[in-house]
DNA sequence: TTCACTGCAAAACGTTTGCAAACAG
DNA sequence: CTGTTTGCAAACGTTTTGCAGTGAA
């Protein structure tokens, strides 16, 4: 079945319309979207896109370094178009995920490596607390 | 169906044989076990224990502060009987998860809170790299 | 009797995979 | 052709839930 025209064939190994739509969905989302949210957004632009393609595209984009995958707890993965190293803060009340950057991470990595005896590659730092909005709402 | 004797009835709100078996499984595991591994270990001691009970018990023990749940990436949750605040290191080669403790976390929390404008509650820090064994195996 | 806890089975959730169809090169 | 990508649907692993049965209080 199938084959109405939009689907199928692709250029060799690069930015297909689907991948572009997925990338745009990540870039244009203010928050850090989940695969599901990306799917919905991409579908508005490319109604025939499938869930599997969203996942394939995210995998491709992540490996290509255009997008970064973030995890916290057992919740669904979220995606971030800011690919440089940075830190996260999660709100315990509304669940918002914010980016920030700590200047002292190089020393931090060295200290952590010394203590753990691991050969360091990267460090993940997440602050858990109340976001500014939730602090205000009481 | 059922009711062969081991299952069922329980004291009001506390350490049942099942919960004790689950707690022991976490404490006696050298590594940080997954729910599945805990299930297998607990079953050796209490053959009739079910998966659901392991999850219920882990939830109870976590809320009671006897056990701590740790996540990394999209892998299954792992459990840790060391409940004091501490940091983790994950090996990119063999997947081993090690504990360590960074002395400078209070300053770190303050710096992160200042940068993110969140009201801090806790901080999660994970070093990603090569564990000592995998460094040796080259 | 009441109520928390157990065991089972099925459901739910996010994610991955197998496969046929559809192209680009 | 060959090789890659898509869409669909079904499978997967982890975790949660509904429900009946059980026993301590």
């Amino acid at each position: 079945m199938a084959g109405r025209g939009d689907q199928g064939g692709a250029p060799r190994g690069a930015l297909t319309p689907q991948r572009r739509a997925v990338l745009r969905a990540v870039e244009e989302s203010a928050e850090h979207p989940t695969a599901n949210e990306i799917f919905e957004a991409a579908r508005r632009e490319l109604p025939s896109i499938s869930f599997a393609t969203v996942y394939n595209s995210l995998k491709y984009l992540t490996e290509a370094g255009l997008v970064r995958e973030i995890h916290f707890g057992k919740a669904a993965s979220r995606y971030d178009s800011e690919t440089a190293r940075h830190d996260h803060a999660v709100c315990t009340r509304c669940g918002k995920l914010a980016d920030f950057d700590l200047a002292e991470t190089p020393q931090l990595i060295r200290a952590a490596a010394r203590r753990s005896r691991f050969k360091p590659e990267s460090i993940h730092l997440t602050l858990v607390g109340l976001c500014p909005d939730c602090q205000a709402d009481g």
Side-chain angles (χ1 to χ4, degrees), chain A:
Chain A
M1 237 159 279
R4 280 161 327 304
D6 204 11
Q7 157 237 74
R12 297 300 175 99
L15 271 197
T16 63
Q18 288 84 349
R19 290 172 180 176
R20 210 182 298 275
V22 166
L23 178 56
R24 185 151 27 200
V26 177
E27 281 170 345
E28 288 179 356
S29 164
E31 303 291 317
H32 304 266
T34 61
N36 213 329
E37 289 160 353
I38 294 167
F39 173 55
E40 310 247 307
R43 185 149 62 162
R44 259 175 258 132
E45 195 178 322
L46 220 61
S48 71
I49 201 171
S50 73
F51 226 89
T53 299
V54 168
Y55 274 104
N56 284 341
S57 300
L58 286 170
K59 191 178 173 213
Y60 169 86
L61 293 167
T62 301
E63 280 164 8
L66 296 171
V67 139
R68 171 181 272 252
E69 191 174 5
I70 45 192
H71 302 286
F72 191 75
K74 62 187 101 183
S77 295
R78 295 181 167 275
Y79 295 85
D80 192 339
S81 58
E82 171 58 66
T83 55
R85 209 216 71 83
H86 62 270
D87 309 293
H88 296 285
V90 204
C91 180
T92 46
R93 193 151 175 275
C94 70
K96 170 152 59 207
L97 187 62
D99 290 346
F100 68 99
D101 196 8
L102 218 51
E104 41 277 86
T105 40
Q107 297 95 290
L108 197 58
I109 292 187
R110 261 181 270 124
R114 205 177 325 118
R115 275 294 195 330
S116 64
R117 313 200 158 283
F118 272 48
K119 179 160 178 287
E121 289 170 16
S122 65
I123 197 156
H124 292 225
L125 187 154
T126 305
L127 181 72
V128 178
L130 271 187
C131 73
D133 291 352
C134 289
Q135 286 174 60
D137 294 4

